[in-house]
Amino acid sequence: MNICGTNDVGFCISSKNLNNKICNLKNYNSRGLNFGQSQSFVSPSKSAIDLSLRVSSTAQIKAAVISEKTSKSTRTKPINSVKVYVGLPLDTVSNCNTINHARAIATGLKALKLLGVEGAELPIWWGIAEKEAMGKYNWTNYLAIVEMVEKLGLKLHVSLCFHASKESKIPLPQWVSQVGESDPSIYFTDRTGKQYKDCLSLAVDDVPVLDGKTPLDVYKAFFENFKSSFSHFMDSTITGVSIGLGPNGELRYPSHHYPVKNDSHHGAGEFQCYDKYMLSDLKLHAEKIGNPLWGLGGPHDAPAYDQSPLSEGFFRENGGSWETPYGDFFLSWYSDQLIRHGDRVLSLAASTFEDVPISGKIPIIPSWYKSRSHPSELAAGFYNTANRDGYEAVSKIFSRNSCKIILPGMDVSDEDQPSDTHSSPESLLAQITSSCRKHGVEISGQTSSVCGGSRVFERIKKNLLGENAVYLFTYQRMGLHFFSPEHFSSFARFVRGLNDPIQRLDNVQMEEEESTDSISGTNLHMQTA
């Protein structure tokens, strides 16, 4: 496959006669992935990829052949106990409700099939599927992608996204944005009045702010219509549904939505409790416990976005307001609002999707984890400090609703963190996974971004095969960089390494084997999404 492109946003593949070529996977003995004419996925020394695309003899076909005709009935060797998925581009279906880079996706999926990858993850956007009016759904192009995956014999996890994406230029539904123009308090708001308009405030979950309907009513209808429209694929091709729970699909407050002015400071974010619905609930809660003055707003001594959180005020290590009775009152209320939101949405999903596993994502927020107050986690809604385990209540709602937890950050480590932020993603990951084990919640791992290099993949492998007990892993995500020769080679080595956990990825011994007939006529072209 010849590769060219303009950026990392999206890609497009033009494939000619690829379906007529026979792709042979030689049970982890052949080496080298030759994608054609001028460029190939081969390292300068020895091939790093555990498969060969070639025209095969009849005997070889009987042993292991994957082609257009046999993809439904023939499966490659499973990847140990961890199922590996790869995320499709965020804009697979664009804001204009058209399929972007369809041939590229088809060709890429075939390559993943050959590697032994279990399946793909598909983002399905609220702002696309229910764009024009409440209850008016358009699933056409999403159905086409699911059919493509089914024909290739792969599995699919879908992510129902109830947030917007600036990166892919996908907004909330038009009719929801129109409601927001007349009632901006449906969005999260910080203490200076800045609003986060990429998802709805959790405080309006059961408030009829959407043309007489509550957001929970709308989410429920969305779930039901999706299930009905994709019923032919449920529990066969579609083997999992992830439920969007907040900003970027994660259960959290958008505490870092406003860019800092000074890059020298790594702030902890700000509390997002100043829309009228959040303030109303806070006021009632304060009055209920007999301290009405505590319900006038969030902490007055909390730092700004670009201020170091430990220097003074609310998050100070010793003598900070977070350890006072007021601090406990506010943080308990703030985190409880987030947990109740997650419980409500997951409960709706659990009652709708009875045939497939459901999951939800929680963030990994490692900044300031080594401090006593854990300010970044507190601002995001997780009441986790040196004195309190904030993930017990989170694990309980996932367990109660029989949901799996998606954890990003399988690719990050302590050594990569800025020294002045007291970060420890490894310790945070260990704490969350321990809580999940305690409450019987299965974990699905993800990367934070498209990464690469043997050191990073070794770290992922350690997280997947270690005590964290990850049952499924999704690598995020397809695009220009993912299919670059250097990166795809590393990814292929990583996949092969999961089959041989005893060996380190950087010590895997490889043999060079010349392909007898490489696939030609295939042009892999990346372009702007």
Side-chain angles (χ1 to χ4, degrees):
M1 292 185 183
N2 294 332
I3 304 175
C4 59
T6 55
N7 59 33
D8 291 329
V9 179
F11 65 96
C12 180
I13 299 177
S14 175
S15 178
K16 183 187 296 182
N17 299 325
L18 182 60
N19 292 340
N20 296 326
K21 300 292 183 179
I22 297 175
C23 304
N24 180 48
L25 178 64
K26 292 187 61 184
N27 293 329
Y28 310 97
N29 290 322
S30 63
R31 307 292 183 261
L33 178 58
N34 192 333
F35 276 104
Q37 298 170 356
S38 61
Q39 293 192 35
S40 61
F41 292 110
V42 180
S43 62
S45 57
K46 291 192 175 184
S47 169
I49 301 182
D50 196 25
L51 58 97
S52 177
L53 299 181
R54 63 161 81 190
V55 175
S56 303
S57 66
T58 303
Q60 289 172 320
I61 294 173
K62 290 180 180 179
V65 173
I66 298 174
S67 66
E68 183 79 18
K69 294 181 180 180
T70 62
S71 61
K72 291 184 180 180
S73 59
T74 304
R75 300 292 297 172
T76 57
K77 183 179 179 180
I79 301 175
N80 203 32
S81 60
V82 181
K83 297 179 180 178
V84 177
Y85 283 66
V86 174
L88 294 175
L90 290 173
D91 64 341
T92 295
V93 177
S94 71
N95 186 37
C96 300
N97 207 339
T98 59
I99 298 178
N100 282 326
H101 27 260
R103 286 184 295 177
I105 290 173
T107 304
L109 288 173
K110 291 176 184 178
L112 296 178
K113 168 84 173 183
L114 289 168
L115 287 177
V117 168
E118 178 81 5
E121 176 263 339
L122 172 65
I124 294 182
W125 298 91
W126 184 27
I128 294 175
E130 196 179 0
K131 180 178 183 177
E132 297 178 359
M134 182 193 302
K136 184 179 180 180
Y137 306 100
N138 186 344
W139 307 107
T140 303
N141 288 307
Y142 287 119
L143 283 165
I145 296 295
V146 178
E147 289 173 356
M148 178 192 302
V149 173
E150 181 189 48
K151 289 179 181 178
L152 291 170
L154 292 167
K155 301 299 183 181
L156 186 71
H157 278 212
V158 297
S159 298
L160 304 183
C161 305
F162 294 100
H163 63 284
S165 171
K166 289 184 173 65
E167 176 186 353
S168 299
K169 301 179 181 179
I170 298 175
L172 293 178
Q174 291 177 354
W175 59 277
V176 173
S177 297
Q178 290 171 358
V179 171
E181 291 176 2
S182 58
D183 184 9
S185 285
I186 66 173
Y187 301 120
F188 287 109
T189 308
D190 67 15
R191 62 182 169 185
T192 63
K194 297 183 182 70
Q195 294 174 323
Y196 180 81
K197 297 184 178 182
D198 286 349
C199 71
L200 299 180
S201 168
L202 55 82
V204 300
D205 276 353
D206 51 8
V207 181
V209 294
L210 299 179
D211 298 334
K213 298 284 187 179
T214 70
L216 291 179
D217 292 334
V218 174
Y219 300 155
K220 178 68 171 177
F222 190 92
F223 293 159
E224 292 174 343
N225 196 275
F226 170 81
K227 179 182 178 182
S228 175
S229 300
F230 291 80
S231 59
H232 174 70
F233 304 100
M234 300 299 284
D235 200 29
S236 54
T237 299
I238 297 176
T239 56
V241 177
S242 172
I243 309 300
L245 299 173
N248 298 320
E250 298 176 332
L251 180 65
R252 64 169 297 167
Y253 290 99
S255 51
H256 272 289
H257 74 87
Y258 191 71
V260 300
K261 298 178 181 178
N262 190 344
D263 292 338
S264 63
H265 291 291
H266 300 275
E270 292 190 15
F271 295 112
Q272 308 292 312
C273 59
Y274 292 89
D275 63 76
K276 70 178 182 181
Y277 299 103
M278 287 286 282
L279 287 174
S280 175
D281 192 276
L282 177 60
K283 181 175 181 293
L284 290 174
H285 188 59
E287 291 172 350
K288 187 180 298 184
I289 67 167
N291 283 298
L293 293 179
W294 285 1
L296 299 180
H300 71 280
D301 56 349
Y305 291 106
D306 57 353
Q307 290 180 316
S308 178
L310 305 183
S311 58
E312 59 182 350
F314 191 81
F315 298 120
R316 183 184 299 169
E317 285 288 79
N318 297 297
S321 301
W322 64 278
E323 289 190 283
T324 65
Y326 164 75
D328 180 65
F329 156 80
F330 175 79
L331 293 172
S332 296
W333 168 82
Y334 190 65
S335 64
D336 186 59
Q337 298 302 301
L338 183 69
I339 291 168
R340 289 172 56 194
H341 165 73
D343 194 22
R344 288 190 292 259
V345 178
L346 291 177
S347 178
L348 283 180
S351 64
T352 304
F353 301 107
E354 300 174 350
D355 299 330
V356 297
I358 61 172
S359 56
K361 184 190 293 188
I362 67 173
I364 297 292
I365 309 172
S367 296
W368 309 103
Y369 183 85
K370 294 179 181 179
S371 68
R372 294 184 63 246
S373 59
H374 294 221
S376 291
E377 293 166 90
L378 297 184
F382 297 93
Y383 192 1
N384 190 54
T385 68
N387 307 326
R388 190 177 189 277
D389 187 341
Y391 296 98
E392 282 285 305
V394 176
S395 298
K396 286 179 181 178
I397 66 169
F398 279 83
S399 177
R400 179 164 57 247
N401 292 294
S402 300
C403 298
K404 306 177 191 303
I405 279 183
I406 299 174
L407 286 181
M410 292 289 154
D411 52 326
V412 296
S413 69
D414 288 4
E415 64 186 43
D416 296 330
Q417 304 302 305
S419 59
D420 58 345
T421 61
H422 303 269
S423 299
S424 182
E426 295 176 16
S427 300
L428 177 55
L429 190 64
Q431 180 186 354
I432 297 174
T433 54
S434 175
S435 181
C436 289
R437 284 196 301 271
K438 179 179 178 180
H439 296 285
V441 179
E442 289 188 322
I443 297 172
S444 174
Q446 283 189 1
T447 51
S448 299
S449 60
V450 174
C451 54
S454 60
R455 185 172 62 89
V456 174
F457 280 115
E458 183 68 24
R459 185 180 308 136
I460 298 172
K461 180 183 173 185
K462 177 181 177 182
N463 284 327
L464 297 183
L465 302 179
E467 296 180 356
N468 295 331
V470 175
Y471 88 102
L472 184 148
F473 170 67
T474 303
Y475 190 88
Q476 302 290 17
R477 70 185 50 245
M478 269 196 198
L480 175 62
H481 176 66
F482 180 84
F483 284 110
S484 67
E486 297 80 8
H487 178 270
F488 195 81
S489 296
S490 297
F491 178 75
R493 278 200 304 274
F494 160 72
V495 171
R496 179 177 181 268
L498 288 179
N499 285 278
D500 192 5
I502 297 177
Q503 299 187 57
R504 290 178 57 84
L505 290 177
D506 51 359
N507 289 329
V508 171
Q509 297 299 316
M510 289 164 288
E511 305 167 0
E512 289 197 74
E513 180 176 324
E514 183 179 351
S515 295
T516 58
D517 186 7
S518 63
I519 291 180
S520 60
T522 303
N523 178 40
L524 177 58
H525 176 63
M526 314 290 189
Q527 64 182 24
T528 306

